[in-house]
Amino acid sequence: MSLTLPPVAPNTFRNAPPEGRVARRAMKHRDARLKVIMGNRREGHVRYDVRENSVEHLPQGSGWIPEAERLRTDTGDEVKRLDNVAKARRQAKWDLHRSMGRQREVGSIERQAAAAQKEQNRNEALPGTSIRNASSVRYNITNHTFSDTKAEAIARYKDSCIQYSATCRAKMLLRKNNMAGYNILNGQPIPDESFRPPSKPQPPAV
């Protein structure tokens, strides 16, 4: 007499019933909460795929690797692949050095061009100022002549003003040091012309 076993029900997968935070917090007792969790676990909320060969890796598995990649039997191809990887690394290294050197050269050329442009702009802005390597007055120091009549008149007027200021200061100091009106060393009187200031120069008409 053979023993007949009842058929095994297939494993059916069902999602766990959704439960919010309010419902979870409504259970004040921990034991009741754990009983609910264990009951949900026994009701088929875990997926299990039955396979005939438990050693075989399925393509949709997380640890599945093709045989061509897992077992490399072509030694020559593997050596060639590693050699190509090393060559690519060396080429990338030299490309990086070459790129950095090119950037340094370009930066140096740009800095030199910027410095030259700055010097050119400075030289263009210097004419008409007193810091350029040329006189601001149109005067030839070789033959001591002016190349412009207006410039000559303005230069002579400025020189006359300087001489006038110097003469007035000298006469003021002479009067201050000789209040008696005569020379204290030899007793000779000092003429009034020595104390009289010169006439003030007039600006040019041009």
Side-chain angles (χ1 to χ4, degrees):
M1 181 176 179
S2 62
L3 182 64
T4 304
L5 299 177
V8 180
N11 185 17
T12 58
F13 178 76
R14 297 184 297 276
N15 291 328
E19 189 177 7
R21 182 181 300 178
V22 177
R24 291 196 304 269
R25 290 184 175 180
M27 291 186 180
K28 302 296 183 180
H29 299 283
R30 180 177 176 84
D31 293 340
R33 176 64 184 163
L34 292 178
K35 288 180 181 180
V36 172
I37 293 176
M38 296 302 295
N40 291 334
R41 289 182 181 177
R42 289 194 299 266
E43 290 180 3
H45 299 297
V46 179
R47 182 185 297 277
Y48 180 75
D49 297 329
V50 180
R51 292 182 297 168
E52 297 181 357
N53 186 3
S54 61
V55 182
E56 181 183 3
H57 294 281
L58 298 179
Q60 63 270 19
S62 59
W64 181 79
I65 303 177
E67 294 291 336
E69 297 183 4
R70 187 168 65 87
L71 301 176
R72 297 184 180 274
T73 57
D74 192 352
T75 307
D77 182 68
E78 184 66 15
V79 172
K80 181 179 180 181
R81 185 184 68 82
L82 296 177
D83 185 57
N84 292 336
V85 170
K87 288 181 179 179
R89 290 179 178 176
R90 290 195 298 268
Q91 185 64 31
K93 178 181 177 181
W94 285 113
D95 291 343
L96 178 61
H97 283 291
R98 191 176 296 108
S99 177
M100 294 175 62
R102 181 169 58 252
Q103 291 179 2
R104 286 195 300 268
E105 291 294 332
V106 172
S108 177
I109 294 174
E110 290 179 353
R111 287 191 297 270
Q112 293 178 5
Q117 184 65 30
K118 182 178 179 181
E119 184 67 20
Q120 181 180 357
N121 295 339
R122 179 178 178 274
N123 294 333
E124 291 177 355
L126 284 179
T129 62
S130 59
I131 59 176
R132 65 193 180 101
N133 192 16
S135 176
S136 300
V137 181
R138 299 180 180 179
Y139 181 76
N140 192 345
I141 60 175
T142 304
N143 53 15
H144 302 284
T145 57
F146 286 89
S147 59
D148 190 0
T149 306
K150 183 177 180 180
E152 178 181 2
I154 295 175
R156 293 187 182 278
Y157 171 70
K158 291 182 178 180
D159 292 342
S160 301
C161 292
I162 295 174
Q163 294 178 3
Y164 171 76
S165 299
T167 305
C168 291
R169 178 173 177 77
K171 290 182 177 297
M172 182 185 65
L173 293 176
L174 180 62
R175 179 180 294 276
K176 184 177 181 180
N177 295 329
N178 298 273
M179 301 297 294
Y182 61 89
N183 193 340
I184 59 175
L185 296 179
N186 52 20
Q188 298 294 330
I190 300 176
D192 296 338
E193 289 78 8
S194 301
F195 301 106
R196 187 177 301 118
S199 58
K200 188 175 182 179
Q202 298 297 326
V206 293

